[in-house]
């Protein structure tokens, strides 16, 4: 979901958005670890934090690294991600919050049903997250959590409450949370529309500085 945050604004502050559209936090952290370019701070989106590791991405990155010396350069991960996922990455050029209300209502209805429960096997992912966080912390990296705004009808759903509860019980990292989520609009309940993504990026920058 943080994939839609404005990359230009972030990069102006020296922050690089390495989120993978449709992929997981575990995949991103694992790729950063393998790159051997350890950042000072990693901001971790928590919305779907327990999504499983995508080993296919790891394998592709390992293969590319064998043949492209430029991958040894700092911040090379951005180019790698865009090469691997170029057919999955869709940047929004216009910053409007015009949406198809019919599609939105139908999608939101399904999301509300989905978020009524917490039917995911999270313990393996939790263990992997803990190991990766410990690895980065030993290297001097600071870890901070943040939650990307979702539809106000989902923000206090059982799923979100349970996930926050698990994170709070296992980690004590700073946690950036938007109180006025109703001011942000989504296309389907969970993915921000372009202007809202831009607004949230500005909010994010303001609160981490």
């Amino acid at each position: 979901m943080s994939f839609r945050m404005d990359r230009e604004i972030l990069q102006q502050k020296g922050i690089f958005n390495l989120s993978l559209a449709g992929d997981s936090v575990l995949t991103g952290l694992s790729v950063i670890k393998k790159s051997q370019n350890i950042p000072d701070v990693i901001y971790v989106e928590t919305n779907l934090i327990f999504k499983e590791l995508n080993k296919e991405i790891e394998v592709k990155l390992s293969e590319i690294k064998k043949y492209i010396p430029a991958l040894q350069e700092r911040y090379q991960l951005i180019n790698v991600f865009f090469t691997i996922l170029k057919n999955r990455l869709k940047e929004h050029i216009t910053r409007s919050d015009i949406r198809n209300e019919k599609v939105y209502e139908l999608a939101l209805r399904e999301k509300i049903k989905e978020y009524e429960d917490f039917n995911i096997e999270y313990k393996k992912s939790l263990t992997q997250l803990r190991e990766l966080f410990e690895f980065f912390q030993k290297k001097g990296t600071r870890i901070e959590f943040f939650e990307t705004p979702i539809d106000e009808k989902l923000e206090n759903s059982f799923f979100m409450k349970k996930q926050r509860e698990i994170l709070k019980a296992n980690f004590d990292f700073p946690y950036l949370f938007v109180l006025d989520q109703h001011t942000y609009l989504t296309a389907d309940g969970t993915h921000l529309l372009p202007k809202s993504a831009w607004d949230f990026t500005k909010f994010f920058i303001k609160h981490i500085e």
Side-chain angles (χ1 to χ4, degrees):
M1 298 171 188
S2 58
F3 166 73
R4 299 195 176 197
M5 292 175 71
D6 193 294
R7 282 179 163 77
E8 183 178 345
I9 294 175
L10 293 173
Q11 289 183 27
Q12 287 174 356
K13 298 294 183 178
I15 299 172
F16 293 83
N17 187 346
L18 302 182
S19 56
L20 309 175
D23 222 300
S24 71
V25 168
L26 279 170
T27 304
L29 291 173
S30 182
V31 170
I32 293 173
K33 178 182 177 181
K34 288 180 179 294
S35 77
Q36 299 181 359
N37 289 325
I38 308 301
D40 296 328
V41 186
I42 297 179
Y43 298 101
V44 178
E45 182 191 28
T46 61
N47 293 59
L48 295 174
I49 194 169
F50 296 125
K51 190 170 183 178
E52 294 182 350
L53 174 70
N54 184 341
K55 294 185 178 179
E56 181 182 350
I57 296 294
E58 281 194 306
V59 171
K60 287 182 178 179
L61 180 65
S62 297
E63 289 301 312
I64 291 173
K65 285 186 69 174
K66 294 178 182 178
Y67 304 106
I68 306 179
L71 290 181
Q72 302 303 319
E73 297 178 6
R74 189 166 177 79
Y75 306 131
Q76 41 71 21
L77 282 171
I78 297 170
N79 293 327
V80 175
F81 288 153
F82 276 94
T83 300
I84 294 174
L85 304 171
K86 64 181 178 180
N87 293 324
R88 294 163 59 186
L89 306 185
K90 296 179 180 179
E91 295 286 3
H92 295 276
I93 298 175
T94 59
R95 295 193 183 112
S96 68
D97 271 353
I98 299 174
R99 68 184 173 195
N100 185 318
E101 291 298 324
K102 186 175 181 179
V103 171
Y104 161 73
E105 291 293 343
L106 288 171
L108 180 60
R109 198 176 305 156
E110 291 302 311
K111 288 291 183 182
I112 290 174
K113 293 178 183 177
E114 180 184 336
Y115 278 53
E116 285 177 350
D117 212 334
F118 191 78
N119 295 321
I120 60 174
E121 295 294 332
Y122 70 90
K123 292 187 177 179
K124 179 180 178 182
S125 294
L126 180 62
T127 298
Q128 292 174 321
L129 284 167
R130 185 179 290 112
E131 291 173 351
L132 283 165
F133 290 151
E134 289 176 353
F135 166 82
F136 286 114
Q137 286 181 304
K138 288 178 180 177
K139 298 290 184 179
T141 299
R142 188 172 80 250
I143 307 294
E144 296 193 16
F145 287 158
F146 73 95
E147 192 173 299
T148 301
I150 56 178
D151 194 276
E152 60 181 323
K153 294 178 181 177
L154 300 174
E155 65 175 304
N156 289 312
S157 60
F158 181 82
F159 179 90
M160 295 303 293
K161 287 181 178 179
K162 181 65 176 178
Q163 185 167 261
R164 293 177 194 130
E165 178 185 313
I166 294 169
L167 292 174
K168 184 177 180 180
N170 287 274
F171 305 107
D172 60 354
F173 303 137
Y175 198 127
L176 178 61
F177 179 78
V178 179
L179 294 176
D180 55 344
Q181 295 203 24
H182 65 279
T183 63
Y184 298 91
L185 300 181
T186 67
D188 55 4
T190 57
H191 294 90
L192 292 174
L193 289 167
K195 183 178 183 302
S196 287
W198 187 83
D199 289 341
F200 175 64
T201 306
K202 299 289 285 186
F203 168 89
F204 177 82
I205 291 295
K206 178 180 176 181
H207 285 79
I208 65 171
E209 287 184 329

